[in-house]
């Protein structure tokens, strides 16, 4: 079992920055790939960043490359998403998720994620 709790969302002006945190508990965390997803109104939940269980491999959606950075600290069982140069189109609910022991160490398939946090709202104003 992995329990996930996101924090760090809020209201920010365009061009600003936020850092989201995902606190994990449960023995499976160290063997889980982690991902950050977001869901805007009327849209599907989409993967925007992922990191392998060892932290050596990452994935970013094209829409956030160069602006967002995913990282993890396995000793603290924390996963982070640093978001810079925020745009109004980044407004969404952001979720962290865990995929226990994915093949290849990292997962870019939403269906393979096993555990989900409750989400945190990010609103970017003009």
């Amino acid at each position: 079992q992995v329990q996930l709790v996101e924090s760090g969302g809020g209201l920010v002006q365009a061009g600003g920055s936020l850092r989201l945190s995902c606190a994990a508990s449960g023995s499976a965390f160290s063997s889980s790939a982690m991902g950050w997803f977001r869901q805007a109104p009327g849209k599907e939940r989409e993967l925007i960043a992922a990191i392998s269980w060892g932290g050596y491999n990452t994935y970013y959606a094209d829409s956030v490359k160069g602006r967002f950075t995913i990282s993890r600290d396995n000793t603290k069982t924390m996963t982070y998403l640093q978001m810079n140069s925020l745009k109004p189109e980044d407004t969404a609910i952001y979720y962290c998720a865990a995929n226990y022991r994915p093949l290849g160490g990292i997962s870019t398939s939403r269906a393979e994620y096993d555990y989900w946090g409750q989400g945190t709202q990010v609103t970017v104003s003009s």
Side-chain angles (χ1 to χ4, degrees):
Q1 295 287 330
V2 179
Q3 295 80 46
L4 306 172
V5 180
E6 304 97 335
S7 63
L11 175 65
V12 65
Q13 286 187 307
S17 298
L18 285 173
R19 188 178 76 157
L20 304 184
S21 298
C22 177
S25 61
S27 60
F29 172 78
S30 61
S31 298
S32 297
M34 298 296 297
W36 283 99
F37 292 76
R38 68 185 182 188
Q39 187 166 21
K43 295 185 177 181
E44 293 287 316
R45 188 173 300 186
E46 62 175 344
L47 176 69
I48 56 172
I51 189 166
S52 62
W53 61 266
Y56 302 113
N57 300 111
T58 57
Y59 161 86
Y60 297 97
D62 288 342
S63 59
V64 305
K65 282 183 178 178
R67 299 189 298 122
F68 292 9
T69 303
I70 188 172
S71 61
R72 69 189 296 168
D73 184 341
N74 286 351
T75 64
K76 299 179 180 178
T77 66
M78 296 289 292
T79 309
Y80 305 99
L81 184 68
Q82 179 66 45
M83 305 186 295
N84 298 326
S85 302
L86 284 162
K87 305 174 182 179
E89 50 263 46
D90 294 319
T91 296
I93 300 175
Y94 284 71
Y95 302 86
C96 65
N99 181 4
Y100 179 61
R101 302 184 74 175
L103 296 177
I106 189 170
S107 177
T108 58
S109 175
R110 181 175 58 194
E112 294 178 350
Y113 281 84
D114 304 299
Y115 307 101
W116 296 83
Q118 299 299 309
T120 185
Q121 176 71 45
V122 172
T123 302
V124 184
S125 65
S126 300

